[in-house]
Amino acid sequence: MSSTPEIPRVVVIGAGIVGSSLADELTARGWTDITVLEQGPLPAPGGSTSHAPGLVFQTNSSRTLTALARYTVEKFTSLDVDGVSCFHQVGGLELATTPDRLAELHRRAGYAASWGVRGEIVSAARCKELWPLIDESLVLGGFHTPDDGLARALLASRAQMARACARGARFLERHTVTGIEREDGRVTGVVTDRGTFPADHVVSAAGFWGPVIGRMAGIDVPLQPLAHQYARTGPLPELSGATAEASKPILRFQDRDLYFREHTDRIGIGSYAHRPLPVDPFAVLPYDEARARNMDMPSSYPFTEEDWAPSWADCRQLMPTLRDAEIEAGFNGVFSFTPDGMPVLGESRRLRGFWLAEAVWVTHSAGVAKAVAEWMVDGRPSIDLHECDLTRFEEAQRSPSYVLERGAQQFVEVYDVIHPLQPMERPRPLRVSPFHARQQQLGAYFLEGGGWERPHWYEANAPLVDALGPLPARDAWSARHWSPVAAAEAKATREGVALYDMTPLRRLEVTGPGSLDFLDRMTSNNLRKKPGAVTYSLLLDASGGIRSDLTVARLAPDRFQVGANSPADLDWLLRHAPADVHIRDITSGTCCVGVWGPLSRDLVQPLTPDDFSHEAFGYFRAKETYIGHVPVTAMRLSYVGELGWELYTTADLGLRLWDTLWEAGRELGVIAAGRSAFNSLRLEKGYRAWGVDMTDEHDPFEAGVGFAVRMDRDDFVGKAALAGKGEATRRLTPLLLDDPAAVVLGKEPVYVDGLPAGYVTSASYGYTLGRCVAYAWLPAGLPTGTGVHIEYVGEKVPATVADEPLFDPKMTRIRR
């Protein structure tokens, strides 16, 4: 195969809003050999772009999605076709008709302040001023965002097509893709019914046809298309004489799963209130066949009156003027959902050069295109995309039935008030550790992550709460998925010994003669230590951003066990591994118990033939030994700031390991403890959580993990970039809330001198400290003792910049 030409040949499949935006972004960066293939006619080819109502609300609990939407608004506002702007900035208005929704709107206002979107909570009277047709008596308040509005998706597609074509791109309509060519694990071309197009890169931007294109490439695309109701009223007397497409803000009535926009003298209404209507992407009709069956386009399904009736009643209640109106037209439009509601972006490792830009709504389209173009041209996007990375799903989360069930539930929950800890109800349980039966017997309260059932506390420990004394009362929101038992479990860990199920943490085995050189090059710390050493290190990208943090245990000269975070870590290492290095994910075949607390040595020492004293088994060391009859790999690590070990064994022996520890620990008062206590304890020690506290947008020094970078050793990925960085302008900063009864949860804006200056990453009540601990990205240089305010559900909560670690700064509890 010939080498990649200087200007790569790119074929984009799909000329909807994403494909058009991507062609524009790529050509703007000098990649001008772009061919965009579209099976339908241009400029309205019949996919989701062709029917999208265009509502753009930028604010999202995801900082990434908000950033993508902000860029989309910025770009579309700058584009026009024949003098008509591609974005109509009428603003956005979200209504609250219940106290719970009003509280949610306050949280959304907090997200807006955190992520840099203009917005404010407004009164019911102001909502009426903005939307005179609503019944003010139903409304408690609203969230007004003046920079939101209507994206004219087809116009934006046309504008970007024209710009891309002027730079050398070409758009070919009525070309149906029939195959993806490949050679030696790399994409080489796209086959259509009208010829084959050679390619060095292929991007699937096919929308709800994504799984069809993915199958041709041998890549599964975890995306489920669903149909969504949209109706348009006849002319309304109250809007007669209107000449503008819209003059009022786009409107959300989320308590009834509805949204509204004007169409001059009519109102368009979208509903998520109906039953999920899944669509098989392999059965969607081609454009001409759909038209022959009296469908407007392949993505437009017949309107289902029986599903509409309840929503129409809700519309008429909110807007009395609709009681005399009729629905003039309606359809069920198809668009894409994923198991977690996020886009699917990135390059496949199994087929190099094959990229996905799927499950992208118009709201985020230009932002996604920019990020993917940066990724392709520069090697990395300028914003953190780990929530959107195509590798993020576990194997157990990629089955068609899982994607269908979770995708349908995402549709149901689009406008629901979702707590940050709230798991989906089905399908559960999916993945359980070998200790699951014992955890159930102890009354574990399970939440879910990555498909794993994770105990957050155990009702068996409820009697311990009485010894704590009074705990601060919690508001209803922060009390969800929380129990005072967590405080008892944290106290027991600090004073005695507790067992933590750490099985869901990812474990990789790296072996082979080149394994040391490989890991040493890929990570930031010094791994050239004798077998038995454990090292905390970082995976960096070429710009010095933190892709992940790892614990690397050297168990033998050419055998390592790596504690990682997500499937993306495995993918990243496999992409770079030479032939003499073998990497496999051993998570599902193994398990882990964290044994932590000042009495942990008293528990494990009688069970093992090896010396577990501090002198014989120091901190950050590993041994392969036995606990009772069970062979284990013991690592002296602690993520809770107490003496202890992580004990690993195979899954078949996991239950025996748990029972051995449990029986031996009875006389020591051993308890099982959950993730709620765990999170409290780790924040008291200032231990970072990757993906929450730090991402590839952050470098190690500003994130407070510079100790894991050895700049004095041989070259490693990211070293050159770190050497060239100047003084940090921001820091991950510890805060202690001033009021012992106050609690925040994360993502809240932080105000310095009355102005938004950053946002909270992680937060939890520190039961040892008697204060809520919050970590936040804030300007560098804020002195210890600086007073700030955190906005929590509309209230400004005072907090103070603190020194870290907040607990046991001399590490005497761990090293003893």
Side-chain angles (χ1 to χ4, degrees):
M1 178 178 166
S2 61
S3 60
T4 301
E6 185 175 343
I7 298 180
R9 299 165 297 180
V10 180
V11 174
V12 178
I13 301 171
I17 190 63
V18 178
S20 301
S21 299
L22 181 59
D24 182 44
E25 294 287 342
L26 285 171
T27 55
R29 288 166 174 76
W31 281 24
T32 54
D33 190 350
I34 310 292
T35 300
V36 184
L37 302 174
E38 176 52 59
Q39 64 180 344
L42 294 174
S48 299
T49 301
S50 302
H51 71 246
L55 284 74
V56 175
F57 288 90
Q58 298 173 82
T59 305
N60 194 284
S61 60
S62 164
R63 180 171 174 266
T64 296
L65 287 187
T66 302
L68 297 174
R70 285 181 63 194
Y71 180 78
T72 299
V73 168
E74 176 187 324
K75 183 176 187 182
F76 288 0
T77 302
S78 73
L79 299 175
D80 71 86
V81 175
D82 299 330
V84 178
S85 175
C86 294
F87 192 79
H88 189 22
Q89 205 155 44
V90 292
L93 178 63
E94 303 177 47
L95 302 178
T97 59
T98 66
D100 283 349
R101 180 67 62 181
L102 185 59
E104 173 69 1
L105 294 188
H106 277 288
R107 286 187 287 272
R108 289 181 58 76
Y111 300 146
S114 290
W115 317 144
V117 175
R118 288 201 304 154
E120 63 174 341
I121 298 297
V122 297
S123 67
R126 177 60 176 152
C127 292
K128 178 73 171 178
E129 290 177 11
L130 293 166
W131 253 91
L133 302 186
I134 66 172
D135 181 351
E136 179 185 354
S137 68
L138 299 177
V139 178
L140 301 181
F143 176 44
H144 181 223
T145 45
D147 299 328
D148 289 340
L150 293 166
R152 297 182 172 113
L154 286 177
L155 278 187
S157 295
R158 285 176 56 193
Q160 291 175 106
M161 285 181 198
R163 291 177 13 148
C165 288
R167 303 185 191 110
R170 58 178 176 166
F171 285 73
L172 302 177
E173 65 181 1
R174 295 192 177 280
H175 281 64
T176 299
V177 174
T178 58
I180 306 294
E181 291 189 333
R182 67 197 90 174
E183 182 181 327
D184 297 329
R186 185 165 188 90
V187 71
T188 59
V190 177
V191 183
T192 76
D193 58 351
R194 299 177 65 177
T196 298
F197 297 83
D200 303 297
H201 297 273
V202 173
V203 184
S204 178
F208 57 77
W209 283 288
V212 178
I213 302 301
R215 180 175 292 181
M216 295 177 191
I219 306 299
D220 65 307
V221 180
L223 173 162
Q224 177 58 54
L226 288 110
H228 159 61
Q229 288 202 307
Y230 191 79
R232 188 180 298 194
T233 70
L236 300 176
E238 292 82 356
L239 300 179
S240 63
T243 56
E245 177 189 5
S247 60
K248 302 174 185 62
I250 53 177
L251 182 69
R252 275 175 168 170
F253 181 23
Q254 290 144 304
D255 289 322
R256 291 295 182 268
D257 296 312
L258 293 165
Y259 63 81
F260 304 82
R261 58 154 294 181
E262 294 168 285
H263 292 281
T264 312
D265 62 350
R266 294 160 168 83
I267 293 180
I269 308 164
S271 171
Y272 293 99
H274 57 84
R275 61 192 167 93
L277 299 168
V279 173
D280 180 357
F282 295 90
V284 176
L285 298 176
Y287 185 91
D288 291 327
E289 188 174 343
R291 295 287 288 178
R293 297 192 186 187
N294 295 319
M295 295 169 60
D296 288 341
M297 59 191 79
S299 62
S300 178
Y301 278 54
F303 195 63
T304 48
E305 294 282 356
E306 67 276 14
D307 293 312
W308 177 249
S311 289
W312 187 226
D314 290 331
C315 294
R316 288 169 155 176
Q317 182 182 21
L318 180 68
M319 297 186 190
T321 187
L322 297 181
R323 292 168 188 167
D324 298 323
E326 298 294 335
I327 295 300
E328 182 177 75
F331 67 96
N332 289 356
V334 181
F335 62 138
S336 303
F337 286 82
T338 59
D340 59 3
M342 302 293 286
V344 181
L345 311 177
E347 182 193 22
S348 168
R349 176 177 51 82
R350 293 184 175 133
L351 183 59
R352 300 293 181 92
F354 183 80
W355 295 76
L356 295 178
E358 298 290 11
V360 182
W361 294 7
V362 172
T363 299
H364 312 109
S365 54
V368 162
K370 175 177 182 279
V372 172
E374 291 171 337
W375 208 342
M376 296 175 71
V377 175
D378 304 327
R380 71 183 299 272
S382 58
I383 66 169
D384 166 46
L385 289 181
H386 83 272
E387 292 177 310
C388 309
D389 196 300
L390 62 87
T391 64
R392 69 187 183 272
F393 295 111
E394 303 284 347
E395 196 65 29
Q397 297 173 304
R398 304 185 78 95
S399 70
S401 59
Y402 185 95
V403 173
L404 170 59
E405 191 165 6
R406 287 290 174 103
Q409 190 63 23
Q410 286 292 337
F411 177 91
V412 170
E413 294 180 353
V414 161
Y415 284 166
D416 286 2
V417 177
I418 303 294
H419 192 277
L421 293 176
Q422 181 177 328
M424 285 196 172
E425 295 179 1
R426 300 181 307 274
R428 292 179 62 194
L430 184 63
R431 308 175 78 187
V432 298
S433 79
F435 324 129
H436 187 68
R438 297 294 183 264
Q439 293 166 342
Q440 288 179 307
Q441 292 167 4
L442 293 170
Y445 182 86
F446 291 102
L447 298 179
E448 183 253 10
W452 287 101
E453 294 296 317
R454 303 182 182 211
H456 272 241
W457 67 83
Y458 296 85
E459 285 300 326
N461 296 324
L464 302 178
V465 174
D466 294 339
L468 294 177
L471 290 171
R474 289 207 170 204
D475 66 280
W477 184 250
S478 66
R480 289 192 195 181
H481 306 292
W482 173 85
S483 168
V485 173
E489 292 176 358
K491 184 173 188 290
T493 306
R494 289 277 187 243
E495 297 179 357
V497 59
L499 305 184
Y500 287 81
D501 182 2
M502 305 303 290
T503 300
L505 298 185
R506 184 167 306 279
R507 292 171 290 285
L508 309 177
E509 182 183 71
V510 182
T511 58
S515 54
L516 175 59
D517 289 341
F518 168 67
L519 287 173
D520 203 46
R521 182 177 73 256
M522 294 299 297
T523 68
S524 63
N525 213 334
N526 175 30
L527 303 185
R528 296 187 180 279
K529 304 171 183 176
K530 294 179 181 180
V534 183
T535 306
Y536 177 78
S537 193
L538 306 172
L539 281 181
L540 305 178
D541 61 22
S543 70
I546 305 169
R547 287 191 56 92
S548 188
D549 62 342
L550 312 172
T551 53
V552 183
R554 192 177 189 186
L555 302 180
D558 296 334
R559 180 165 63 91
F560 295 81
Q561 181 172 308
V562 177
N565 284 297
S566 76
D569 296 345
L570 173 63
D571 185 83
W572 177 256
L573 293 172
L574 287 171
R575 285 176 186 269
H576 294 88
D580 62 348
V581 173
H582 308 286
I583 306 170
R584 67 187 186 102
D585 190 329
I586 61 172
T587 309
S588 60
T590 56
C591 60
C592 177
V593 182
V595 184
W596 290 313
L599 299 182
S600 56
R601 183 176 287 118
D602 297 320
L603 173 54
V604 297
Q605 183 62 83
L607 302 174
T608 178
D610 281 280
D611 187 351
F612 272 47
S613 68
H614 181 63
E615 294 73 22
F617 197 159
Y619 191 50
F620 269 88
R621 299 292 299 172
K623 284 186 180 182
E624 294 182 294
T625 183
Y626 291 86
I627 295 294
H629 299 289
V630 180
V632 300
T633 299
M635 299 185 195
R636 192 169 164 199
L637 306 174
S638 175
Y639 205 53
V640 299
E642 295 294 336
L643 174 68
W645 288 264
E646 293 178 359
L647 303 176
Y648 299 88
T649 192
T650 53
D652 60 322
L653 290 167
L655 192 58
R656 183 61 180 263
L657 174 62
W658 180 278
D659 288 345
T660 299
L661 292 166
W662 189 259
E663 289 302 319
R666 281 179 179 272
E667 63 183 34
L668 298 172
V670 69
I671 68 161
R675 298 285 299 184
S676 187
F678 176 89
N679 199 46
S680 170
L681 297 169
R682 70 104 180 162
L683 280 170
E684 289 184 330
K685 281 297 293 179
Y687 293 147
R688 277 59 168 156
W690 185 85
V692 179
D693 298 316
M694 56 189 185
T695 69
D696 60 6
E697 287 189 17
H698 309 111
D699 73 51
F701 303 108
E702 62 190 9
V705 290
F707 63 87
V709 179
R710 289 288 300 272
M711 296 294 291
D712 58 347
R713 66 178 186 84
D714 292 341
D715 195 27
F716 57 86
V717 174
K719 179 180 178 180
L722 292 180
K725 283 190 179 290
E727 191 69 25
T729 59
R730 60 184 177 181
R731 297 282 184 191
L732 187 60
T733 305
L735 304 174
L736 280 175
L737 273 62
D738 295 351
D739 182 352
V743 173
V744 299
L745 300 180
K747 300 187 179 181
E748 297 90 354
V750 181
Y751 292 77
V752 178
D753 295 330
L755 297 174
Y759 59 91
V760 174
T761 59
S762 293
S764 179
Y765 200 85
Y767 301 108
T768 315
L769 302 173
R771 292 285 192 282
C772 183
V773 180
Y775 271 76
W777 281 103
L778 291 172
L782 292 178
T784 299
T786 299
V788 302
H789 287 86
I790 303 173
E791 184 177 326
Y792 179 74
V793 196
E795 299 293 329
K796 296 292 199 322
V797 179
T800 302
V801 174
D803 276 331
E804 63 176 340
L806 303 170
F807 175 77
D808 188 28
K810 296 184 179 179
M811 303 283 282
T812 57
R813 299 177 71 88
I814 294 176
R815 294 190 171 103
R816 58 180 177 184

